[in-house]
Amino acid sequence: MTTKPTRRPTYYEEIRQKGYSRRDFMKFCSIIGAYMGLEATGVAQVANALQKTSRVPVIWLHFQECTCCSESFIRSSHPIVADILLDKISLDYTETLMAASGHQAEAAKAKTMKDYHGEYILCVEGSVPTKDDGVYCCIGGKSAIQVLEEAAEGAKAIIAWGSCACNGCVQAAHPNPTTATPIHKLVHGKPLIKVPGCPPIGEVMAGVIIHMITFGRLPELDRVGRPKAFYSKRVHDTCYRRPFYDAGLFVETFDDENAQKGYCLYKVGCKGPMTYNACGVTKWNGGTSYPIQSGHGCFGCSEENFWDNGPIYRQMANFPGFGIESNADEIGMVAAGATAVGIAAHAIATNLRKNKLINNVIAEGKDAEKEL
Amino acid sequence: MATHTATHKLRRVFVWELPVRFYHWLNALVIVALCATGYLIGSPPAFLSNAEASDQYLFGWIRFIHFVAAYLFFFNFLFRLYWGFVGNKYADWKNFIPTNRKFWSEMWEVIKIDIFLQKDKEHLSVGHNALAGFIYFLTFLAFLVQCITGFGLYASMSDWWFADMFVWVGGIFGGDFGLRNWHHAAMWFFIIFAMVHVYLVFYHDYVEGRGEISSMGGGWKFIEEEVFDKEKKKATH
Ligand code: HEM
Ligand code: SF4
Ligand code: SF4
């Protein structure tokens, strides 16, 4: 690379400047290492990397979203995450948190994109509307598509935060009036990490970023591009109510005795068995709880199309094309009933239309019986 | 009141070899098990029990039966595909895939005679008739869909490389949500197929009197001497 601006401080230096002790720093490294599923030596690697590397420039774009991802991130359990990774220190541009505004902000973004071409991480929160040339989301006089394409061009890697950026989430739910499109369908040829969830867990988000800083590359991804460390298991696989599921003990309604006993929420619509996320392990709000622990089923917020795979409080989805409140079983039963009627009608008609054949067979058999 | 009945000499034809019959009944058994356990997995009844959860594994067993039956179903299916290449002429894969005009014209004839019930006509086929063969071909496709979606769901529950080979499936069905919905909906195809299938076996046995029902037991069907000669001529031509 050509001329660099003055040497940027390392993460560790920034952390110390912020008033954290080395002890705080090491604690942070172990916590985040544990969330990332690293072994003890991995924690040392994290500490090492944060001491040696100067901060990676980050541009964080917001499109069609509700900012719950940013909210989740700044609330992740350790304050260092918010202070160092997200605070103005690391973020060169983010609409919701940056101090600058207007032309100043746009200029800052342009500068980062130029100075750190090929080096910055592009974080995208939200989906991009593509209908009608993308007029449904414009920032600074440009459509979201343009903004995304410009920023993606020089990015080292892209992180799609949350279900909006990963699979469209609520804006893409039927009938998807703006043709809200996830990032991976718009940007090609760049390393892309999907961190789905509505929102994703703050610690997971921090873990992904720390991984990229520590190891200088993307974390290991699964087939659909999610980091394996956090998305390789279903909520159901780590759910503490799982023994009730295996026993067949289910909550029938939210106010029954079974609910008080903490039985499995499968029959009131828990989508944990289809949902890949770390909620059962990492939990939320600094490990306080997660939806199932609070008595509400998972509704699959990190899965594609989860809004259209409803209803939330029933296990079986509405069947596409047959209107609301019709699931596969209801349609199947109607079809089976119609089949039974058809069979009965056919059987009656057979006796009328084929009576000669049938009578011949019967008569032949009876004759033989008599002759014996 | 039988005024005059022709008496027929019947020829015994060995139609379904033992492997085909074995496949058939194992398939029937596991499909019933899969539909029953699958339905329970989708909508579990309210089991009432005062026992501790740790002393029970009811739902676990239901799922376990589903998975065992699923493996049997899958490998049995593979075996049948293999037998389509080495078995007798009635087991041959050509019975299932329309490869020539004759196949299509026979299908049309079966539709006229057996579905729309042309008056006092029968269609003779020693093995599968063309329409049945083609419908079995469609069921094989349904088997495939059910195995792919099933193992796609199962991949995340298993450490075996074989099941893990199916992890890609989720991607094309929109994740486990989509997989599950399709897997569940496809069950109804099996149920409706079974209803029609069993009915038609009775229909043929009743109208034609050639041992249709018992053929899947011993492997034999019985055809009239004249019919036999005609078929033989056709075959040697
Ligand atoms: C005749 C064939 C089959 C039928 C009719 C059938 C039916 C079903 C049904 C109705 C469900 C419940 C879906 C729901 O929750 O709504 C189910 C679940 C499932 N089936 Fe099948 N299935 C068949 C074959 C297979 C095969 C070959 C596999 C392969 C391993 C398989 C694996 C599964 C799995 C993993 C589940 C999810 C169980 C869970 O949630 O824990 N199935 N099946
Ligand atoms: S509550 Fe949900 S995630 Fe937990 S065991 Fe039951 S179905 Fe699975
Ligand atoms: S429990 Fe399910 S719905 Fe709730 S946050 Fe986790 S993945 Fe999303």
Side-chain angles (χ1 to χ4, degrees), chain A residues 178-229:
Chain A
T178 65
T179 313
T181 310
I183 305 311
H184 66 98
K185 295 205 175 135
L186 296 169
V187 179
H188 301 283
K190 289 276 169 188
L192 187 141
I193 309 172
K194 292 184 194 167
V195 188
C198 188
I201 304 170
E203 282 75 9
V204 167
M205 299 172 79
V208 169
I209 292 209
I210 302 279
H211 188 286
M212 295 186 43
I213 296 167
T214 307
F215 301 106
R217 54 183 150 80
L218 305 195
E220 203 189 335
L221 304 180
D222 69 6
R223 294 244 160 195
V224 280
R226 302 169 296 196
K228 275 190 179 166

Side-chain angles (χ1 to χ4, degrees), chain B residues 8 24 27 61 68 96 137 163 167 171 174 187 190 207-208 217:
Chain B
H8 293 105
H24 176 273
N27 202 33
W61 283 115
V68 170
F96 304 98
F137 173 64
V167 283
M187 171 184 73
F190 285 81
V207 173
E208 297 158 9

Side-chain angles (χ1 to χ4, degrees), chain A residues 225-241:
Chain A
R226 302 169 296 196
K228 275 190 179 166
F230 307 107
Y231 293 92
S232 64
K233 284 210 170 75
R234 301 171 300 162
V235 171
H236 186 60
D237 292 324
T238 49
C239 179
Y240 77 105
R241 297 194 188 213

